[in-house]
Amino acid sequence: MKLVFWLLDINPKIDGKSVELWLWGIDSDGKRVLVVERNFVAYFYALLAGGVDASKVTENIMNDYGSSIASAEIVERRFFGKPVTAIKVSCRVATETGEIAERLRSVQGVADCLEDDIRAAMRYLLDNNLSPCGWHECHVESEDKTPEVRVNKVYVAKSPPKRLENVAVPDLRVMAFSTIYYSREGTPKSDRNPVLLLSTVDSNGEEKQLTAETGPDDKPVIEAFIQYVTEFDPDIIVSFGANSVHWTYLRGRSHTLGLHLDFDRAKLEPHTSMYGHVSLTGIVNLDLSDFMDVFPEVKVQTLWNLAYHLGVYKERQTIVEDVLFADYWDDIEKRDELKSFGLDSARKVYGSAVLLLDFATQLSGLTMLPLDQVLTAATGFRIEWFLIKQAQKDGELIPRRTEQIYAPYAGGLVLSPKPGLHENIAVLDFKSMYPNLMITYNLSPDTYIEPGRPEPPSGVYVAPEVGHRFRKSPPGFYKEALTYLINVRSEIRQEMSSLNPKSVEFRMLDARQKAVKIITNAAYGYAGWVGARWYIKPVAEAASAWGRYTIQKAMDMAKEAGVEVVYGDTDSLFIQYREAQAHALQENVKHQLKLDVEIGEVYQRIFFTEAKKRYAGLRADGSLDIVGLEVIRGDWAEVAKRVQQHILEIILKDQSPKKAIDYVRQTVADLKHRKLPFSDFVIWKTLTKSPEDYAIKAPHVQAAKMLKEKGWRLRGGDKVGYVVLSGKGRLYSRVKPHVFADIKDVDVDYYISNQVLPAAARILLFFNVTKGQLEKQTAETKENRSLMDYV
DNA sequence: GCATACGGAGTACCA
DNA sequence: ACTGGTACTCCGTATGCG
C-alpha cells in the first residue's frame, strides 16, 4: 500500500548487528505513524591512489575482507573537483562501517576512505533525497508485530520514500513547559532539590500547573508530568533551556525518586545526541534558547527578553529571579506570585514557539537536519549539510573533517569616517556581496587551481592582491548552491509581494526566505572556517580580496563622478546624495563590476565619530539608526545608554548641544539622588569561560565568583549582571551580583564618571560646547569629573 | 612614592 | 561551535618625575 506522510524525525535503531531506520511521521489523515526501514545498507568510498589498477585493488580487498563486505563497486567520482576513481564498499553490518574503512586505509593502492563518517540517518536522507519537515510517499506494508512504540500505526517500508512537493505543514501537537526547582544551596541539583512546579501550555489551549503543595515530596509532580505528556502525546515539546538543564535534571530527579521519565514514543528516556542536544525518540525536542543566535539584538538571552522581542507580550512584567525561587516559595504570601510566574513562563515559551516554528521547520527542510537538531547545530554545520546535498548532485565526494592549521587572512576594507554631522547621505550597498562574488568569480573548493597546476581550457579568474586562480567553467558547487539560494529567495519574495502579509502562505514563505538568507550569508564564513570539510583558505581569501577590489573600484568611480564618500565598510559606501548623480553612479558600478548594487537608506542627517563602525543616522521617517555606539551595546549600564540615545536624538533632530547638556545635567542630578530604577545600574557581561579559569581579576569575573560561593554554577556563555558599589580600591573589589545588591550601596559617582559622561562625551565632544555651559556642568557635579575633562 | 603610559586580556560590535 | 576588522574598558606592570 501507499502511505503519504510528513517526516517529523528519524533515528537509527541499532539492535546487535542490525541497523533499522525509524521514520516518525504524521500521515495525511493526521495519524501518528512509524515507518521502519529494514533495507538500509551502509557504505563508504575507498579512494584509490593515482595509477593503480582499480580492479586489482578491489580483488585484493574482497580477498582479505570479503566476509565483511556486501559489495565493492568501482565508481568515478570527483574530490575537490579532480576526477578520481573509488571503490564503493557496502558493508554487511552497518555498525562496522567505520572499522572496515579504517582497515582499508592501510591497504596498498587505497589513498583514503571517505564518507564512512556520514551517519546512517543522514546517509539515508541524503541518498534518497528525503527532507525532514517535508511530505513523502512510500510503499509500505502494515507491521503485524508492533514494536513497543506509541503511535497509531507502524509500517515497514517496501521502497525508499519519495519526496513530494507539498509545502504545507500538518497540524502539530505542541506542548510547552517551564520548571521551578527549590534550592537554598544555589544551582539546584537533581539528587537533593525538588521540582516545585511544572507548568505546561499546549496547542489544545490547555494550561496546567503540576505542583507539590504539601512539601518537599515532588514525586507526584513528575508522575503527573509523565502522565500528562503520555496522554497529550505531543509531536513537539518546547522549552527554554531543556537541552542544557531541564532534561538532565528531570531525568535525574526521576531516578532519585525511583521513577522513569520514559514518556517518548519509544518509551525511552531523554538521551543526549548529536550537536549537544537531547533526543526524545519520535518527539521533537525544541529548546528556544537555541534560537538566540538568530536574534543577536536580544542582548541578555532570557526567555522573557526573547518573548518580549518577539512581541509575545507588550508591557514589561516583573520577573522572579531564580535566585529568589526558594524565598518566594517559603513566603506563603508570595507563593502565588511564584506560581503565576511559572505559568506565565510556560505561556511565553508557547507563544514564542508559535512564532518561531515556521522558521525552524523551513531551516530543517533546507538543510536536511531534523527539526530538533537544526537549531542546536552551529551555523557551520547547517550550511555544511546544505552543501553536502549540492556536492552529492555533482558527484563530489564528501571530505572528512580533518585537523587543519589556523591561518588568518585579510578581510574587508573599512574606511575612516569623516567625523561630525553630514546632511543627506545615501548608502550604496552591494547586495549579498560575498555570495555574489563567489558566483561571479566561480570561487569554490572544486574550482581552485593550485599554484603550479596548468590553466584549464576555460581560462581562470585571478583574484587581486592574492593571485589565487579559479577556473571560469564549469561552475563549482558553491556557485550552483548559491545561485540556487539567491534565485529561490527572490522568487519567494516575488511570490510574497502578491500575498496578504497575514495569510498562512505569506508567513510560511517569509520563514523560508529567512532560512534561505541565513544559509546564503554563511557560505563565505564557512569557506574560511578551519573546521569545514571543504576548508580551502584561498577560497575565502579570494572572496575577501575581490571584495576589497570591488569597494575600492566603486570608490574610484564615485570620485571620478564627483561624488563625495564619507564612510564605507566592506560592502557599502556612504555618499553625499544627489538623486540623479547617485543613480548614475549606481548604474555605472553595476555595469562595470557586474555586481548588484542598491541605494539603500538615505539619511537626512548622519553623525560620525572618528571611530570606524560607530555612527548614528536620522532616517527619512524620523527614526534613528544607531550603529556600534554604546546605545546598542549590551555591556553598558542602561542609564548611560539612555542618555546617549537622547543626546543623539537631540543632536540629530534639534541640533542643539545646549539641550543635550541640560539633559545630561538632569540625569546626573537624578543619579546623585538615586532617583532612578535599580535596573539602570546593572552591567551585563558574558563569561567566556568558567570564572576560576580567568587569569585576571575583572569586575564581571569577581561577581561570578561571588555567585559561585553561594552555590550558583556559572559557565562560559553565561551572562553576569553586576553593579558597582561605593568603596575603595579596584573596581573588581567593589562589585556585587545585581541579585544581591541594593540601590543604596551603589557608587553613583562611578556611574556618572565612567558610564554616563563617557557615553555622553563620545557624542558631545564633536560640538562646540561653550565655556559657560561647561562650568555650570562642573558646578553641578562638584568634585566629579565633568564634561570638561573629555572635551 | 606617586601618577601616568601602555600592552594585553576581555568583550562586543559591524560587515 | 562561520570570517576578519575595529573600538573600547580595565588590569597590571613599566616608566618617569619629583
Side-chain angles (χ1 to χ4, degrees):
Chain A
M1 64 177 285
K2 203 183 263 182
L3 174 75
V4 172
F5 70 103
W6 194 79
L7 182 59
L8 184 69
D9 197 11
I10 177 170
N11 68 271
K13 168 74 178 171
I14 299 161
D15 189 2
K17 289 192 163 186
S18 87
V19 173
E20 293 179 351
L21 289 171
W22 285 15
L23 285 72
W24 303 87
I26 298 167
D27 75 9
S28 39
D29 297 328
K31 290 210 163 53
R32 272 56 187 173
V33 298
L34 168 64
V35 179
V36 179
E37 171 64 81
R38 299 215 168 106
N39 296 316
F40 173 73
V41 179
Y43 67 88
F44 62 89
Y45 294 96
L47 192 60
L48 296 179
V52 301
D53 182 339
S55 26
K56 199 128 206 185
V57 178
T58 311
E59 210 181 298
N60 290 344
I61 288 173
M62 289 312 283
N63 282 339
D64 293 350
Y65 303 98
S67 59
S68 312
I69 294 169
S71 70
E73 180 194 350
I74 298 166
V75 294
E76 299 300 323
R77 292 287 187 274
R78 297 197 298 156
F79 193 49
F80 285 97
K82 296 183 192 73
V84 291
T85 304
I87 307 169
K88 182 177 175 179
V89 180
S90 300
C91 304
R92 286 190 196 281
V93 180
T95 51
E96 290 175 358
T97 314
E99 197 185 312
I100 300 169
E102 188 53 40
R103 284 207 218 131
L104 294 203
R105 280 194 183 100
S106 45
V107 166
Q108 186 92 46
V110 174
D112 200 354
C113 289
L114 295 170
E115 304 199 9
D116 58 301
D117 55 349
I118 307 298
R119 292 177 184 229
M122 294 311 286
R123 175 91 273 166
Y124 186 73
L125 296 177
L126 184 62
D127 289 358
N128 298 298
N129 193 30
L130 307 190
S131 168
C133 303
W135 287 95
H136 302 82
E137 184 182 79
C138 188
H139 288 286
V140 295
E141 268 175 18
S142 286
E143 174 83 338
D144 296 332
K145 195 170 70 67
T146 304
E148 287 296 292
V149 291
R150 291 191 182 108
V151 286
N152 300 115
K153 198 86 185 84
V154 179
Y155 299 98
V156 176
K158 292 285 116 187
S159 64
K162 271 209 182 72
R163 186 145 150 217
L164 302 172
E165 283 303 310
N166 184 4
V167 293
V169 173
D171 273 333
L172 298 166
R173 283 202 291 268
V174 182
M175 180 208 124
F177 77 97
S178 77
T179 65
I180 286 179
Y181 310 123
Y182 181 94
S183 169
R184 289 221 160 270
E185 307 94 357
T187 302
K189 298 219 165 61
S190 64
D191 55 356
R192 65 168 190 221
N193 300 120
V195 183
L196 291 178
L197 203 56
L198 283 171
S199 309
T200 64
V201 174
D202 68 38
S203 48
N204 285 349
E206 197 175 348
E207 297 184 339
K208 270 184 186 293
Q209 285 215 286
L210 314 171
T211 176
E213 280 300 354
T214 49
D217 181 15
D218 56 336
K219 197 169 179 177
V221 180
I222 293 186
E223 281 172 336
F225 186 67
I226 293 170
Q227 194 193 340
Y228 163 65
V229 177
T230 311
E231 277 168 17
F232 179 66
D233 185 28
D235 301 306
I236 301 177
I237 299 182
V238 209
S239 63
F240 193 93
N243 275 335
S244 52
V245 178
H246 305 310
W247 288 130
T248 313
Y249 193 95
L250 292 175
R251 182 179 167 168
R253 189 68 196 153
S254 301
H255 293 183
T256 303
L257 299 169
L259 296 170
H260 282 280
L261 203 63
D262 51 0
F263 56 66
D264 76 18
R265 286 179 171 160
K267 301 181 184 174
L268 298 172
E269 299 199 294
H271 50 281
T272 50
S273 181
M274 294 252 292
Y275 303 121
H277 93 296
V278 177
S279 239
L280 308 172
T281 317
I283 302 175
V284 173
N285 162 42
L286 213 57
D287 182 344
L288 296 183
S289 66
D290 296 323
F291 269 97
M292 296 310 299
D293 70 334
V294 179
F295 303 103
E297 60 271 39
V298 181
K299 304 295 177 194
V300 181
Q301 305 182 356
T302 63
L303 164 65
W304 288 70
N305 285 349
L306 173 68
Y308 183 79
H309 177 74
L310 293 171
V312 174
Y313 69 106
K314 300 274 185 260
E315 292 291 312
R316 283 285 184 187
Q317 282 170 258
T318 314
I319 288 153
V320 184
E321 298 285 346
D322 51 2
V323 172
L324 301 175
F325 284 174
D327 290 342
Y328 271 66
W329 184 260
D330 290 338
D331 183 339
I332 286 300
E333 288 181 6
K334 283 184 165 173
R335 187 179 289 186
D336 280 348
E337 203 183 317
L338 182 65
K339 284 164 113 177
S340 83
F341 170 76
L343 184 57
D344 256 352
S345 297
R347 288 181 185 139
K348 302 301 177 257
V349 173
Y350 186 82
S352 305
V354 166
L355 297 171
L356 296 174
L357 208 52
D358 289 340
F359 169 75
T361 304
Q362 294 299 333
L363 197 60
S364 168
L366 197 63
T367 58
M368 212 168 50
L369 286 162
L371 189 51
D372 61 351
Q373 285 174 42
V374 71
L375 292 172
T376 52
T379 317
F381 296 99
R382 291 179 195 156
I383 174 127
E384 186 150 273
W385 278 108
F386 176 79
L387 289 171
I388 283 172
K389 261 201 298 189
Q390 186 65 52
Q392 170 136 325
K393 279 184 203 150
D394 284 16
E396 269 285 329
L397 294 174
I398 306 163
R400 284 194 288 155
R401 203 179 298 288
T402 54
E403 194 87 12
Q404 304 264 9
I405 297 148
Y406 170 73
Y409 60 90
L413 190 65
V414 190
L415 309 179
S416 288
K418 298 191 173 159
L421 277 180
H422 302 269
E423 305 273 328
N424 212 20
I425 298 293
V427 184
L428 204 59
D429 253 313
F430 285 92
K431 286 165 80 178
S432 303
M433 184 197 236
Y434 285 130
N436 278 313
L437 287 169
M438 293 165 94
I439 290 171
T440 303
Y441 299 107
N442 202 20
L443 309 178
S444 188
D446 55 329
T447 56
Y448 175 56
I449 310 292
E450 285 159 355
R453 295 244 167 199
E455 197 169 295
S458 68
V460 290
Y461 293 111
V462 182
E465 296 180 55
V466 292
H468 303 315
R469 300 177 302 158
F470 294 82
R471 69 166 196 244
K472 287 190 172 175
S473 68
F477 74 95
Y478 277 18
K479 177 168 181 165
E480 290 185 332
L482 291 168
T483 306
Y484 166 80
L485 289 169
I486 286 173
N487 289 343
V488 156
R489 181 151 184 260
S490 77
E491 281 164 24
I492 296 171
R493 285 159 71 96
Q494 181 62 39
E495 206 176 323
M496 282 167 68
S497 65
S498 65
L499 288 171
N500 177 354
K502 288 192 174 143
S503 67
V504 177
E505 292 91 336
F506 185 94
R507 222 184 60 199
M508 291 306 229
L509 291 172
D510 192 40
R512 183 157 181 82
Q513 68 89 13
K514 275 185 187 139
V516 169
K517 186 182 174 185
I518 280 192
I519 298 296
T520 312
N521 290 345
Y524 158 74
Y526 175 82
W529 173 39
V530 277
R533 288 177 186 266
W534 277 285
Y535 174 66
I536 295 202
K537 199 181 76 161
V539 175
E541 201 169 25
S544 76
W546 279 115
R548 293 191 298 274
Y549 168 86
T550 300
I551 207 75
Q552 186 61 57
K553 271 278 182 292
M555 234 163 77
D556 295 346
M557 291 166 72
K559 209 170 196 178
E560 215 164 288
V563 176
E564 191 193 1
V565 176
V566 293
Y567 179 60
D569 186 350
T570 311
D571 60 358
S572 65
L573 290 177
F574 290 56
I575 58 168
Q576 192 56 247
Y577 184 63
R578 279 190 285 272
E579 197 174 339
Q581 196 190 31
H583 285 87
L585 176 63
Q586 178 197 6
E587 284 309 313
N588 200 8
V589 168
K590 214 186 244 187
H591 182 250
Q592 291 210 20
L593 295 172
K594 298 182 184 67
L595 284 170
D596 202 2
V597 177
E598 65 179 357
I599 294 176
E601 202 71 62
V602 181
Y603 296 106
Q604 292 182 51
R605 198 168 288 130
I606 190 166
F607 168 76
F608 291 107
T609 66
E610 274 163 1
K612 297 167 174 178
K613 297 181 186 280
R614 290 173 171 226
Y615 57 86
L618 179 62
R619 297 195 189 92
D621 66 2
S623 65
L624 291 199
D625 186 15
I626 302 174
V627 178
L629 293 162
E630 281 76 0
V631 174
I632 50 104
R633 291 183 65 91
D635 57 350
W636 281 72
E638 199 57 41
V639 60
K641 301 205 291 181
R642 192 173 56 242
V643 167
Q644 195 183 57
Q645 164 107 32
H646 280 208
I647 288 174
L648 287 167
E649 265 163 29
I650 294 166
I651 290 296
L652 285 167
K653 289 181 180 168
D654 307 338
Q655 301 189 75
S656 164
K658 185 185 174 308
K659 257 175 103 173
I661 288 193
D662 286 346
Y663 174 74
V664 175
R665 269 177 50 207
Q666 183 54 50
T667 306
V668 167
D670 289 346
L671 267 166
K672 292 227 145 221
H673 298 108
R674 298 171 203 271
K675 283 202 312 201
L676 295 166
F678 179 68
S679 56
D680 265 17
F681 297 93
V682 182
I683 297 168
W684 293 92
K685 273 199 165 69
T686 310
L687 292 173
T688 53
K689 49 194 170 192
S690 288
E692 59 273 17
D693 293 340
Y694 280 84
I696 60 149
K697 291 169 177 173
H700 70 299
V701 176
Q702 292 308 107
K705 284 182 175 167
M706 291 169 79
L707 282 163
K708 202 183 161 227
E709 263 169 43
K710 300 220 175 190
W712 295 92
R713 185 187 57 221
L714 286 162
R715 292 173 298 189
D718 289 338
K719 274 256 197 314
V720 183
Y722 66 90
V723 291
V724 177
L725 307 182
S726 309
K728 280 194 169 21
R730 288 290 193 183
L731 201 55
Y732 63 74
S733 68
R734 49 197 181 91
V735 297
K736 212 171 183 184
H738 78 289
V739 282
F740 299 143
D742 191 285
I743 192 160
K744 71 179 194 308
D745 301 320
V746 164
D747 180 2
V748 287
D749 290 337
Y750 170 82
Y751 287 89
I752 293 167
S753 60
N754 291 53
Q755 293 277 324
V756 172
L757 290 185
R762 187 103 53 224
I763 314 302
L764 293 178
L765 194 63
F766 292 86
F767 299 90
N768 297 320
V769 179
T770 68
K771 222 169 181 185
Q773 286 167 314
L774 281 170
E775 276 160 7
K776 218 171 172 183
Q777 175 67 26
T778 310
E780 284 288 328
T781 58
K782 294 192 182 96
E783 68 280 353
N784 294 315
R785 277 203 271 170
S786 70
L787 271 178
M788 178 88 95
D789 299 317
Y790 297 95
V791 176

